[in-house]
Amino acid sequence: MTPKKQSLLKEASHQIIAGGSAGYDSQSAHPVCLVEICLMHPLDVVKTRFQIQRGKADPNSYKGLGDCFRTIFRTEGVYGFYKGILPPILAETPKRAVKFFTFEQYKKLLSFTPISPGMALSVAGLGSGLTEALVVNPFEVVKVRLQANRDSFKVQPSTFAQARTIINTDGFGLRGLNKGLTSTLGRHGVFNMIYFGFYFNVKDAIPASQDPRLEFMRKFAIGLVSGTVSSCVNIPFDVAKSRIQGPQPVPGEIKYRSCFQTMALVYREEGYLALYKGLIPKIMRLGPGGAVMLLVYEYVSGWLQKNW
């Protein structure tokens, strides 16, 4: 193998390991993301429940965030908050590895174009989000179906049983395990476009601190704002995804068919605020989570470049 190929292979390895480390700690050989998912998954369940309910006319409508938590706890027990947790656990490390590896590759390719460096970061983020969505969508379909189920945790099907049911009924295509793919592409593409573009452009614009603690706080604050802003902008795609992948209002009748058709329908029937359902639990999860993910990636990547 030539030195150039070895160098490219090492660089790619750094990016994949650092990206995967945003969800995996190679030092302890235990998934760090497991703790984050266990702590934050209840917010994801609540977010999905809000997104699939169809206004006050919905007989299963929650009155607010507190009512949602109380109702799930009362009717489904504490395990109700962990419905659909296995798909994120299985997908987290490969998803983050794909996210950061493809971001770096798209960024490198865009360096040969006349696009400005600042814009290239956003375009590379868009590309990485679209690629990530292709990997994660089947896991999302299974997760949403489990989260929407209001039966007792003991009664509802397992993750693998739910996946088998979807495949046996509708197959692997856009009506089955890849249902809602366009919405997932929009959700991840828009999120990563703003997430990476905002973080790296703002980080370069604000002078670094020589104090390691202040530098950590500077990066964490920028990452927090980046994750929060990205969540606010991409949530209409998230609502559309949940409506398409979740149970339809009338069994056997498909009401929510495609991304923009679903957005238009939700807007027409429930108003524009319905496109922002689940925003608070989403921000509570992805604001700090987005900051941690970028910090882990940067520090692990820096360590690998110095030591390997």
Side-chain angles (χ1 to χ4, degrees):
M1 187 180 292
T2 64
K4 186 176 181 181
K5 286 185 178 179
Q6 286 181 329
S7 177
L8 290 172
L9 183 61
K10 182 180 284 190
E11 183 183 351
S13 300
H14 287 175
Q15 293 160 4
I16 293 171
I17 293 170
S21 293
Y24 189 88
D25 180 1
S26 59
Q27 301 258 336
S28 62
H30 291 289
V32 170
C33 64
L34 184 62
V35 177
E36 186 265 340
I37 290 172
C38 290
L39 289 173
M40 298 298 188
H41 193 74
L43 291 171
D44 196 50
V45 172
V46 169
K47 181 207 72 171
T48 300
R49 292 290 178 88
F50 273 114
Q51 290 178 342
I52 61 177
Q53 69 180 24
R54 303 176 303 281
K56 294 181 180 178
D58 189 333
N60 294 316
S61 178
Y62 298 110
K63 297 176 183 177
L65 199 61
D67 178 57
C68 185
F69 274 104
R70 285 192 297 271
T71 303
I72 292 174
F73 180 75
R74 186 174 64 251
T75 60
E76 302 169 50
V78 69
Y79 292 118
F81 293 111
Y82 293 92
K83 288 181 174 180
I85 194 171
L86 188 56
I89 289 174
L90 295 175
E92 198 65 22
T93 297
K95 179 184 81 172
R96 294 185 181 186
V98 167
K99 177 200 288 282
F100 286 99
F101 172 69
T102 55
F103 170 71
E104 296 293 347
Q105 298 312 304
Y106 290 132
K107 189 172 69 172
K108 187 185 295 183
L109 288 173
L110 289 165
S111 68
F112 297 106
T113 69
I115 298 176
S116 67
M119 180 61 69
L121 289 166
S122 294
V123 177
L126 174 62
S128 77
L130 296 176
T131 309
E132 177 189 28
L134 295 173
V135 175
V136 79
N137 193 66
F139 295 93
E140 287 290 318
V141 171
V142 177
K143 185 195 76 170
V144 170
R145 193 72 65 88
L146 290 168
Q147 290 179 336
N149 190 321
R150 299 198 181 203
D151 294 334
S152 166
F153 190 86
K154 295 179 180 179
V155 175
Q156 79 164 36
S158 69
T159 297
F160 295 106
Q162 184 69 73
R164 280 196 300 271
T165 299
I166 294 170
I167 294 168
N168 291 338
T169 305
D170 299 303
F172 291 91
L174 297 177
R175 292 186 177 181
L177 208 58
N178 268 296
K179 193 174 186 179
L181 178 59
T182 305
S183 300
T184 306
L185 288 166
R187 184 180 79 157
H188 287 261
V190 171
F191 184 91
N192 283 7
M193 179 177 68
I194 298 169
Y195 182 64
F196 285 115
F198 183 95
Y199 178 79
F200 287 108
N201 279 301
V202 172
K203 185 168 73 75
D204 290 343
I206 298 176
S209 173
Q210 298 301 315
D211 186 329
R213 288 173 297 181
L214 291 177
E215 177 62 7
F216 178 87
M217 291 305 299
R218 180 183 78 99
K219 289 181 178 179
F220 183 86
I222 298 170
L224 178 66
V225 175
S226 179
T228 300
V229 172
S230 302
S231 298
C232 292
V233 176
N234 86 329
I235 194 166
F237 290 97
D238 204 358
V239 171
K241 185 187 79 68
S242 294
R243 293 292 179 100
I244 294 167
Q245 294 176 346
Q248 299 290 320
V250 180
E253 180 183 314
I254 301 176
K255 180 177 182 177
Y256 304 112
R257 297 179 179 276
S258 62
C259 178
F260 294 105
Q261 174 264 346
T262 299
M263 285 186 191
L265 193 57
V266 170
Y267 173 77
R268 189 165 63 248
E269 292 184 348
E270 303 169 43
Y272 76 93
L273 287 178
L275 292 171
Y276 293 87
K277 285 183 175 180
L279 179 60
I280 293 175
K282 183 181 174 77
I283 288 174
M284 289 171 68
R285 181 176 177 230
L286 292 179
V292 170
M293 185 162 54
L294 279 167
L295 284 169
V296 170
Y297 175 75
E298 284 208 336
Y299 284 115
V300 172
S301 180
W303 185 89
L304 287 170
Q305 289 173 13
K306 288 179 182 178
N307 297 278
W308 182 35

